[in-house]
Amino acid sequence: MLRASHLLRASFRPLARGAATHALRRGAPLVRNLKAGIPSSSRYLATVAPAAPEEQKQETHLPIVSSDASQVAVGWDPRTWSRFHNIWLRDHCRCPKCFHSITKQRLLNTFEIPKDIAPLHVSPKPDGLQVVWSSSDSHTSLYPWEWLKQNSYDPPLARQGEISDKVLWGSKIAQAPPTVAYDEVMQGDAGLFKWLSNVDRFGFSFITGVPPTPEATEELSEKIGFIRETHYGKFWDFTSDLAKGDTAYTTLALGAHTDNTYFTDPCGLQLFHLLSHTGGTGGTTLLVDGFYVASILKGLNPSAYNILSKVPVPAHAAGEPTSLYRPNPPAGFSTLNHDRWSNELMQVRWNNDDRSVMSHLAPTEVEEWYEAIRLWNKCLKSADSEYWVQLQPGTAVVVDNHRVLHGRSAFDGKRRMCGAYIGVDEYRSKLAVLSETFSPDSVLRSTATLPETVVNGRNIWNVAL
Ligand SMILES: C[N+](C)(C)CCCC[C@H](N)C(=O)O
Ligand SMILES: O=C(O)CCC(=O)C(=O)O
């Protein structure tokens, strides 16, 4: 049954023929907004009923909205419509009855929403799409325009043209490596945001001016989030004494690798700070951007890229008598792991020393898999990929262990390194919290002043919720 509130002979039909299209006013002209600075998606807009002369200066431009028995359509411009299912909109109501504004948890019982839920009517308001539901209480919901745009799924709009601000790099990063000053980080959140923004964009960052002590380095690590304790301890201060059953505790060279491939959930960040190196040489640090190398491999040999994206690699940490780590599932995870939704490369997992028996390869896969990792290794070790840097006491480095591989050259003499792991969720949570303040997105900016919206310091329309 159609709930026609108004019908406008629209020049386009966003929903099934005959859908009720909310007419701002019969014949309301569809005008090209010539004002400079109007975002492209809102260049063509229906103008709210022509205002009386004295109100002309306060024109409000709103999308056109339509609804039918199953969906609501929002016309951003004549060629760009989003369609939201009624059940989806009702489920995502964030009024105080449906959504706990402090805890940011759903109060609404999703399963009591009638399957045939539909609007009594929809109308475009300056603050967003208003829906009055045909429920006994005529429940009313408001959805901010920018939130609808960010969460549009038919079609997806938020990712269109979204350019990842990740900077892929090779050896030339040596000319201007991402760096922040310790004092800036310790002074406050702005410096911490700059540091973590470096890591988000480049996959690593140096921190200069760090007091060359384990205590100062531990305190710095904890600015990001609580340290992730493992069988190597919490904050580590290590040297080449095999204090732990791992080659990191020797003088051996370590090829480019990511840590914790034997964990189901490898740590997110790894912080290193060289405290001293006396009576010897070597121990130079190696950094390689796994995302950069993967992009090279994908161009050079897509088949090898696909094999590394498909074949799971088992791994173990078995050097400590009291622990024997393997990931779950034991077959492990592929070397290149992608976001199932965007298909974007999200994680590199690679440590050939910690790799276990490849007992699950199909016979036809064996030779092509070895060929693929041979090419992968060749790309990792190319002069164009490797960034060698000699750490000094006072300069720490933090590495995104899901993206950047690290290693070191062999060394002799007495070398003391300290550092810590930080969980990937702790890192991403801290960056998200800082971003709310230092780089709010269009949804946060456009809804910040709406009533009952920023509660307990957090905007209920945060796209992370
Ligand atoms: C960082 N710390 C020195 C504590 C331990 C290093 C462990 C290295 C291990 N082979 C891995 O790849 O995870
Ligand atoms: O000793 C170093 O410089 C790095 C050691 C290492 O790769 C690790 O601990 O994972």
Side-chain angles (χ1 to χ4, degrees):
M1 182 192 73
L2 275 181
R3 293 168 178 77
S5 50
H6 302 282
L7 278 182
L8 168 72
R9 288 184 306 286
S11 57
F12 33 81
R13 286 249 175 252
L15 294 169
R17 179 164 296 285
T21 297
H22 180 85
L24 304 175
R25 182 166 162 157
R26 181 173 297 284
L30 190 63
V31 295
R32 178 185 181 86
N33 188 304
L34 299 178
K35 277 189 185 139
I38 298 295
S40 59
S41 65
S42 54
R43 191 169 300 135
Y44 290 94
L45 288 160
T47 300
V48 176
E54 64 277 4
E55 294 167 7
Q56 279 296 342
K57 61 183 177 304
Q58 292 304 318
E59 270 188 348
T60 304
H61 301 282
L62 299 172
I64 292 180
V65 298
S66 309
S67 68
D68 68 14
S70 68
Q71 290 180 306
V72 174
V74 176
W76 307 108
D77 63 53
R79 284 178 299 284
T80 313
W81 285 81
S82 294
R83 284 159 293 278
F84 301 92
H85 289 78
N86 297 333
I87 181 76
W88 186 94
L89 283 168
R90 183 64 190 87
D91 184 43
H92 290 94
C93 179
R94 297 216 157 160
C95 78
K97 286 183 188 164
C98 296
F99 190 82
H100 198 296
S101 55
I102 292 174
T103 69
K104 311 300 189 276
Q105 291 169 293
R106 180 174 282 99
L107 297 172
L108 170 71
N109 183 334
T110 300
F111 313 104
E112 289 180 355
I113 302 174
K115 278 186 181 175
D116 61 352
I117 182 88
L120 195 58
H121 63 79
V122 295
S123 49
K125 302 293 185 188
D127 291 342
L129 166 68
Q130 184 190 72
V131 180
V132 178
W133 297 101
S134 54
S135 53
S136 54
D137 62 349
S138 299
H139 192 86
T140 300
S141 306
L142 182 83
Y143 305 90
W145 298 120
E146 281 302 316
W147 181 87
L148 286 171
K149 212 176 281 183
Q150 274 288 340
N151 290 289
S152 174
Y153 55 87
D154 178 11
L157 294 182
R159 283 98 189 153
Q160 271 180 355
E162 189 176 87
I163 299 167
S164 163
D165 64 357
K166 296 215 179 324
V167 177
L168 305 187
W169 49 268
S171 55
K172 293 186 182 62
I173 193 72
Q175 295 167 19
T179 304
V180 293
Y182 169 79
D183 290 344
E184 196 177 358
V185 171
M186 299 306 283
Q187 257 160 19
D189 282 349
L192 181 56
F193 177 67
K194 181 178 172 186
W195 182 24
L196 297 189
S197 297
N198 276 353
V199 178
D200 185 44
R201 293 186 69 209
F202 296 94
F204 79 102
S205 180
F206 292 113
I207 310 96
T208 53
V210 184
T213 68
E215 295 76 14
T217 309
E218 182 169 5
E219 187 188 7
L220 173 67
S221 305
E222 291 182 330
K223 294 294 281 184
I224 301 173
F226 48 83
I227 288 171
R228 176 166 168 185
E229 189 166 10
T230 67
H231 57 301
Y232 303 115
K234 187 169 177 259
F235 185 81
W236 3 276
D237 183 347
F238 67 100
T239 185
S240 51
D241 59 2
L242 266 181
K244 295 287 183 186
D246 187 280
T247 48
Y249 297 77
T250 70
T251 60
L252 292 171
L254 300 174
H257 67 279
T258 60
D259 272 26
N260 308 159
T261 48
Y262 39 80
F263 288 156
T264 307
D265 170 28
C267 75
L269 301 184
Q270 191 161 355
L271 189 138
F272 289 108
H273 187 190
L274 181 70
L275 296 178
S276 63
H277 186 180
T278 53
T281 58
T284 307
T285 294
L286 168 63
L287 299 178
V288 180
D289 183 355
F291 285 10
Y292 173 70
V293 174
S295 70
I296 300 290
L297 179 70
K298 192 172 190 176
L300 288 177
N301 191 321
S303 167
Y305 184 93
N306 291 336
I307 288 166
L308 295 185
S309 301
K310 184 181 67 146
V311 173
V313 177
H316 60 267
E320 289 294 299
T322 55
S323 55
L324 179 48
Y325 285 99
R326 299 199 298 169
N328 187 29
F333 297 83
S334 50
T335 304
L336 303 177
N337 296 275
H338 297 76
D339 176 322
R340 287 188 180 78
W341 193 91
S342 66
N343 201 34
E344 188 185 340
L345 178 60
M346 296 305 285
Q347 184 183 23
V348 173
R349 296 172 72 121
W350 181 252
N351 184 326
N352 203 47
D353 298 347
D354 294 5
R355 175 165 57 83
S356 308
V357 174
M358 298 297 289
S359 57
H360 54 283
L361 284 169
T364 54
E365 282 179 331
V366 174
E367 289 176 351
E368 63 177 352
W369 181 77
Y370 276 101
E371 198 45 42
I373 63 168
R374 193 183 299 278
L375 183 53
W376 168 243
N377 182 60
K378 189 177 174 189
C379 291
L380 286 173
K381 292 174 69 73
S382 81
D384 170 58
S385 302
E386 293 190 332
Y387 169 38
W388 288 94
V389 54
Q390 178 55 60
L391 293 181
Q392 299 293 341
T395 296
V397 64
V398 71
V399 172
D400 175 347
N401 185 55
H402 283 210
R403 168 181 170 181
V404 173
L405 297 90
H406 63 279
R408 74 172 182 222
S409 62
F411 65 90
D412 54 19
K414 178 77 176 149
R415 180 176 182 267
R416 188 181 167 203
M417 178 74 85
C418 74
Y421 290 136
I422 305 281
V424 61
D425 294 332
E426 281 67 40
Y427 155 56
R428 292 170 56 80
S429 166
K430 177 62 79 178
L431 183 57
V433 169
L434 293 167
S435 298
E436 288 176 301
T437 302
F438 296 101
S439 69
D441 63 17
S442 61
V443 177
L444 295 182
R445 292 195 308 271
S446 62
T447 58
T449 56
L450 293 182
E452 298 179 303
T453 294
V454 180
V455 180
N456 195 29
R458 172 144 301 130
N459 188 316
I460 62 170
W461 297 105
N462 190 312
V463 291
L465 307 183

